[in-house]
Amino acid sequence: MDEVLLRSLTPGVLAILVRRGADFAAAEDAVQDALVEAVRVWPAAPPRDPKGWLVTVAWRRFLDATRADAARRRREESVGEEPPPGASPAVDDTLQLYFLCAHPSLTPSSAVALTLRAVGGLTTRQIAQAYLVPEATMAQRISRAKRTVSGVRLDQPGDVATVLRVLYLVFNEGYSGDVDLSAEAIRLTRQLAAAIDHPEVAGLLALMLLHHARRAARTSSGGSLVPLAEQDRGRWDTESIAEGVGILQAALARDRLGEFQAQAAIAALHADAPTAGETDWVQIVEWYDELARLTDNPVVRLNRAVAVGEADGPRAGLAALAALDDSLPRHTAVSAYLHERDGDLATAARLYAEAARKAPALAERDHLTRQAARLNARE
């Protein structure tokens, strides 16, 4: 495979898709998919016109993605902006598609990636960011998953754990990403909870409701991020909080703890505090310990370092942070916050500025930049 040839053809193929009417981001995704397909196909059957082959395949991938996005938007428009309380209506075909894409022939990670792309409507870049891997790696993973299921019958639904992982990532993208999918994720999780008596399904639904309850307070009128400690708690949706806490308590009473129940317990402790200063950080650290035991997830340990800094002081938080890989997303931002708490404003300002340069989203980048400017002004 001539990688130099592929790289040289990429700009021209991208330009052709844009001229045909594709927006730049969608065109990039389509060209990436075409390049992955070329790596797979060309060694055995090199095309006579490589550029024309890439244009044809990329355009088809763009059309497929556009149709999938249109279908997703139609589903979103069929529900209200906010998730309705109470019991869910009967399960619809969308949830069934989630189970079918979580096929037993796929690994859980491949099933999640395929479902997010094919049913959830997320781009390859968004999925890669959620998994903390390069976009090209995720594109290859999705392509392998497509090839795997292309020759099997989709009549064996996948397991609940994989579907929960997909719903959680869809909610997270809707909660903090470019596309509003959170209400759809809650709707589908309600349906799953009504159909399956499973404590982790209940835990995920509780987690979603508790996070969604704070949504109105997460941004200012100008669109800037508002940290949890500074949010107007009077804007939190108390009805959703009460529902989420009730669902969580019933799930925990079954003594089958899972990661979504542990995360929901942390969210419930934040929701229960009348003010940021009254947050029970000691108990939150204990729940993070449980969550780390269940998942061994580095992002969980990063969040635990923040909680340790609140419970035992910033020096303890920095010590916990020192044990983690500094290439983790938001590691620099956490370090900046803990250094500020410790009174080292110069280091904190430098780290906030560095974290802003690494931030994946504009709102987060602006927030971190403002934090750096605030500390520099004080200095």
Side-chain angles (χ1 to χ4, degrees):
M1 172 55 57
D2 191 340
E3 294 183 2
V4 175
L5 173 61
L6 284 176
R7 285 197 298 269
S8 68
L9 292 175
T10 298
V13 175
L14 184 59
I16 290 173
L17 263 64
V18 172
R19 285 201 299 271
R20 287 186 177 184
D23 68 85
F24 190 81
E28 280 188 312
D29 285 336
V31 172
Q32 181 64 55
D33 285 348
L35 292 175
V36 171
E37 187 68 8
V39 170
R40 185 180 73 86
V41 172
W42 285 11
R48 285 178 295 179
D49 179 7
K51 184 175 182 179
W53 189 98
L54 286 171
V55 169
T56 299
V57 173
W59 184 248
R60 287 173 180 167
R61 295 298 172 88
F62 166 72
L63 292 178
D64 289 344
T66 300
R67 294 186 187 106
D69 185 63
R72 175 186 56 74
R73 290 184 183 279
R74 285 196 296 272
R75 290 196 300 272
E76 290 177 4
E77 291 168 358
S78 68
V79 298
E81 291 185 358
E82 295 298 319
S88 170
V91 176
D92 64 13
D93 291 341
T94 304
L95 190 57
Q96 183 66 18
L97 285 174
Y98 274 71
F99 273 95
L100 291 177
C101 284
H103 197 271
S105 64
L106 296 173
T107 64
S109 60
S110 294
V112 171
L114 176 63
T115 314
L116 290 172
R117 188 74 178 92
V119 187
L122 303 189
T123 66
T124 304
R125 180 180 294 111
Q126 289 170 320
I127 301 169
Q129 289 173 348
Y131 268 91
L132 311 180
V133 299
E135 185 177 352
T137 300
M138 183 53 64
Q140 292 174 351
R141 183 180 299 177
I142 293 171
S143 294
R144 285 196 299 270
K146 289 178 180 177
R147 291 198 300 273
T148 299
V149 300
S150 64
V152 301
R153 290 176 57 84
L154 293 178
D155 56 0
Q156 303 178 58
D159 67 343
V160 175
T162 300
V163 173
L164 289 180
R165 176 63 51 194
V166 175
L167 289 168
Y168 177 59
L169 290 173
V170 169
F171 175 80
N172 276 345
E173 186 58 40
Y175 188 67
S176 60
D178 300 326
V179 183
D180 188 354
L181 298 169
S182 57
E184 173 71 353
I186 292 175
R187 183 181 73 87
L188 292 174
T189 307
R190 282 191 187 281
Q191 291 184 354
L192 189 58
I196 299 176
D197 183 19
H198 192 298
E200 272 293 83
V201 177
L204 178 58
L205 178 57
L207 176 63
M208 289 179 174
L209 290 168
L210 289 164
H211 277 307
H212 199 78
R214 301 200 302 258
R215 187 170 189 178
R218 290 185 72 246
T219 55
S220 68
S221 57
S224 59
L225 288 180
V226 180
L228 177 61
E230 300 172 18
Q231 289 177 14
D232 177 1
R233 299 184 179 220
R235 299 183 65 194
W236 290 1
D237 183 349
T238 55
E239 188 173 321
S240 291
I241 290 173
E243 182 184 6
V245 168
I247 292 171
L248 172 63
Q249 289 174 337
L252 291 175
R254 301 179 64 176
D255 199 23
R256 290 168 54 192
L257 183 64
E259 62 175 297
F260 293 120
Q261 294 169 73
Q263 289 189 61
I266 293 169
L269 286 167
H270 283 298
D272 187 55
T275 66
E278 296 173 86
T279 304
D280 189 346
W281 286 107
V282 172
Q283 195 172 350
I284 287 176
V285 171
E286 292 174 355
W287 276 112
Y288 270 123
D289 288 338
E290 288 286 347
L291 190 55
R293 180 182 60 80
L294 289 166
T295 67
D296 195 29
N297 187 317
V299 176
V300 169
R301 298 189 182 280
L302 184 68
N303 292 333
R304 179 186 178 277
V306 177
V308 168
E310 299 290 351
D312 301 327
R315 297 284 175 90
L318 287 167
L321 187 65
L324 304 177
D325 185 347
D326 61 9
S327 67
L328 276 172
R330 298 185 174 87
H331 183 286
T332 307
V334 170
S335 181
Y337 173 74
L338 291 172
H339 275 95
E340 180 184 357
R341 288 281 318 280
D342 195 39
D344 187 353
L345 303 189
T347 299
R350 175 178 58 79
L351 290 172
Y352 275 130
E354 181 182 339
R357 292 191 292 271
K358 298 177 181 178
L362 179 60
E364 183 180 355
R365 184 161 62 248
D366 288 346
H367 170 72
L368 293 168
T369 300
R370 285 194 299 273
Q371 296 296 88
R374 173 179 57 82
L375 294 185
N376 283 325
R378 288 175 61 181
E379 284 288 286

